[in-house]
Amino acid sequence: MKKIIFKPKRGQIDFTNARWAPVINCVVKHKDKILIVKRSAALRLYPGYWNGISGFLDDKRTLEQKARDEVREELGIPAKAIKKVRVGAIFHQNAPKYKKTWIVHPVLVEAATDKIRLDWEAAEYRWIRPNEAGHFKLLPGFDTVLKKVARWL
């Protein structure tokens, strides 16, 4: 599968060659389960790993706006179906393979629905209990994201 090459839109910052990159990683919760998605083979970074809904913080949107937009874009969950957005403590995740340090902003998004529609960024999804996450090949640092939002799960 051909890898997608990022082309920034007007107002976006291109972190492709940056050593440090701010990202959001959203844990989507519905009732007592969380959503994990398997990253598409077309993605340049971490294809085939299971993760939350993530994206670069590459424009002027707030964390809450970015979380809502990512969930809408990648899962098809509309704003009216998002009950609450909570932000956890930021941490750094080193990625020697990519010569990056991610500045990770963990976010919990509580959804009123478990009905989703994946976009091209994910190959499949699962609704799981939080303690089942360790059974999957998780994106490095996603276990820390889960710890940072655990008090709300």
Side-chain angles (χ1 to χ4, degrees), residues 1-2 5 22 24-26 42 45 56-57 65 73 87-88 95 97 101 106 111 116 131-132 140:
M1 181 170 271
K2 186 176 177 182
I5 297 181
I24 190 171
N25 198 321
C26 302
L45 303 167
F56 286 93
L57 293 170
Q65 289 170 326
E73 291 168 13
V87 179
K97 176 180 178 180
T101 297
I116 64 167
N131 64 354
E132 297 172 322

Side-chain angles (χ1 to χ4, degrees), residues 3-107:
K3 300 287 183 199
I4 304 296
I5 297 181
F6 174 72
K7 292 185 175 123
K9 296 174 189 157
R10 186 178 175 148
Q12 275 187 311
I13 300 166
D14 184 356
F15 288 105
T16 303
N17 298 311
R19 175 69 181 88
W20 294 78
V23 293
I24 190 171
N25 198 321
C26 302
V27 177
V28 178
K29 176 186 177 197
H30 176 70
K31 297 185 179 176
D32 63 343
K33 294 196 174 179
I34 62 168
L35 180 77
I36 57 171
V37 297
K38 187 173 186 182
R39 294 171 60 83
S40 166
L43 292 172
R44 184 175 58 86
L45 303 167
Y46 305 104
Y49 282 81
W50 290 87
N51 189 33
I53 301 304
S54 60
F56 286 93
L57 293 170
D58 56 5
D59 56 31
K60 294 182 178 181
R61 290 180 283 176
T62 67
L63 283 175
E64 183 169 339
Q65 289 170 326
K66 181 71 173 181
R68 289 175 181 276
D69 289 348
E70 290 291 330
V71 167
R72 180 185 43 77
E73 291 168 13
E74 295 184 30
L75 302 177
I77 297 176
K80 67 183 180 189
I82 296 175
K83 297 178 355 183
K84 194 174 282 187
V85 175
R86 298 177 182 196
V87 179
I90 298 166
F91 68 96
H92 294 168
Q93 177 70 38
N94 289 318
K97 176 180 178 180
Y98 297 111
K99 298 183 174 104
K100 288 239 187 278
T101 297
W102 307 110
I103 306 165
V104 182
H105 297 71
V107 175

